Amino acid sequence: MLQLANKVLILYAHQSSGSFNAAAKNAAVEVLTAQGCTVEVSDLYAMKFKATATVEDITGEVKNAEHFSYAEESKLAWEEGKLSADITEEQRKLSEADLIIFQFPMYWFTVPAIMKGWFDRVLTQGFAYSDEKRYSLGIFKEKRAILSFTTGSHESMFSANGINGDMNVTLWPLQNGILHYCGFQVLAPQIFWAPARVPAETRSAMLEAWRTRLQGLLGEEPLSFTPVDCFDREKGFQLKPEVHEKQATKEFGLTVGTHLGKPLPPNNQMKAGV
């Protein structure tokens, strides 16, 4: 139940307080606060959050200025408490949160640059993941995350027969490659299909449906991903033969990414329990 999520962090990336994204964010703040949650919002544009991962993110000397490696240097800086103040503050918010909502308009089939910059800079190695702690063994496995976003295109265009292609495929890099990689339990996305292209009453209905969903969000089952122990580390993290054999008679692949050359499991990145 929602009372388990005492702390909620909303990562919000839209320039306008009059936008549909702002309305969706405001609905989440209102409903979750009424449920007794403490809600914190990182309004990335208002904060002028820096999107680029650069040497300026590290205070003091870096280990190797000539061959600068952001992943290595930021890991070291995190260990030594030398990350810039804006990163440290976002890491604090994330550490304290039980539920993270990413609210954004989809840009070019992914998140806006400012939100991608948040991922690049805040999810530093050591803090958010390590070789040993990722995917189902990930650092944030006790936390839940959800993508809540608007599209410019109608739902039909993001279907398996649509010109944009299957939305499940579009979501795989974000939900598996970022959120699940860091261990998050990923809730089914909240997708607001083309709000700018529908009547006002349809937009109102979309927001009402979101408000209703928010009431029981933490009671939802997360999306399913293939556990780490199904892969053989010694053989380059390939699926273990016994797991492969179990799937031999099944109609669909395991997930959108680990599809085994079979048809993709329908709605694998959009609905739980499939």
Side-chain angles (χ1 to χ4, degrees):
M1 295 302 294
L2 256 177
Q3 55 261 35
L4 297 175
N6 298 319
K7 294 204 170 178
V8 179
L9 173 61
I10 301 177
L11 266 296
Y12 168 65
H14 199 287
Q15 307 88 334
S16 171
S17 59
S19 65
F20 186 92
N21 273 273
K25 178 259 297 176
N26 292 340
V29 172
E30 187 183 324
V31 173
L32 294 171
T33 302
Q35 296 266 344
C37 296
T38 303
V39 182
E40 196 161 13
V41 178
S42 283
D43 184 340
L44 298 180
Y45 285 106
M47 291 158 60
K48 294 184 168 54
F49 189 80
K50 176 174 164 286
T52 52
T54 65
V55 70
E56 286 79 28
D57 294 346
I58 295 148
T59 57
E61 293 294 310
V62 296
K63 187 178 172 186
N64 189 339
E66 192 178 347
H67 298 290
F68 179 73
S69 164
Y70 190 85
E72 288 177 22
E73 296 285 2
S74 59
K75 176 179 182 285
L76 202 59
W78 171 73
E79 290 170 348
E80 296 176 355
K82 291 181 177 177
L83 286 171
S84 60
D86 60 339
I87 295 175
T88 303
E89 176 62 4
E90 293 306 298
Q91 289 183 342
R92 176 197 64 77
K93 294 175 189 174
L94 180 52
S95 294
E96 292 178 0
D98 304 299
L99 168 68
I100 299 89
I101 299 173
F102 296 90
Q103 183 65 56
F104 61 94
M106 183 167 267
Y107 280 13
W108 294 111
F109 290 44
T110 188
V111 297
I114 200 165
M115 186 172 280
K116 179 57 165 60
W118 189 94
F119 288 135
D120 291 349
R121 298 178 66 229
V122 176
L123 301 180
T124 52
Q125 190 176 356
F127 169 73
Y129 68 93
S130 69
D131 283 350
E132 301 301 323
K133 294 181 177 179
R134 51 184 170 169
Y135 291 119
S136 57
L137 303 177
I139 288 170
F140 299 136
K141 60 182 186 292
E142 301 302 318
K143 300 179 186 294
R144 294 192 167 204
I146 178 173
L147 301 180
S148 174
F149 62 93
T150 57
T151 66
S153 301
H154 289 292
E155 185 174 4
S156 60
M157 296 169 71
F158 273 110
S159 67
N161 297 318
I163 193 167
N164 290 349
D166 190 339
M167 178 58 90
N168 289 279
V169 175
T170 299
L171 289 170
W172 179 256
L174 292 171
Q175 294 187 156
N176 180 73
I178 300 176
L179 300 181
H180 178 54
Y181 189 91
C182 294
F184 287 109
Q185 296 177 53
V186 185
L187 300 178
Q190 180 70 26
I191 307 175
F192 302 102
W193 301 102
R197 299 174 185 267
V198 298
E201 57 267 28
T202 306
R203 287 195 292 276
S204 295
M206 286 177 175
L207 286 171
E208 201 47 50
W210 176 223
R211 295 173 75 90
T212 300
R213 185 183 177 192
L214 283 160
Q215 311 253 359
L217 198 62
L218 262 291
E220 291 184 9
E221 285 295 311
L223 299 172
S224 58
F225 296 89
T226 310
V228 167
D229 62 11
C230 289
F231 299 89
D232 190 337
R233 188 187 182 105
E234 302 304 312
K235 295 184 177 172
F237 285 101
Q238 290 284 294
L239 205 62
K240 290 177 178 175
E242 58 268 30
V243 181
H244 216 298
E245 281 163 28
K246 258 188 204 172
Q247 299 299 314
T249 57
K250 304 219 170 145
E251 183 183 358
F252 300 109
L254 278 167
T255 58
V256 167
T258 313
H259 53 66
L260 313 177
K262 297 183 177 199
L264 304 186
N267 288 317
N268 174 253
Q269 291 298 296
M270 291 172 69
K271 288 183 182 173
V274 296

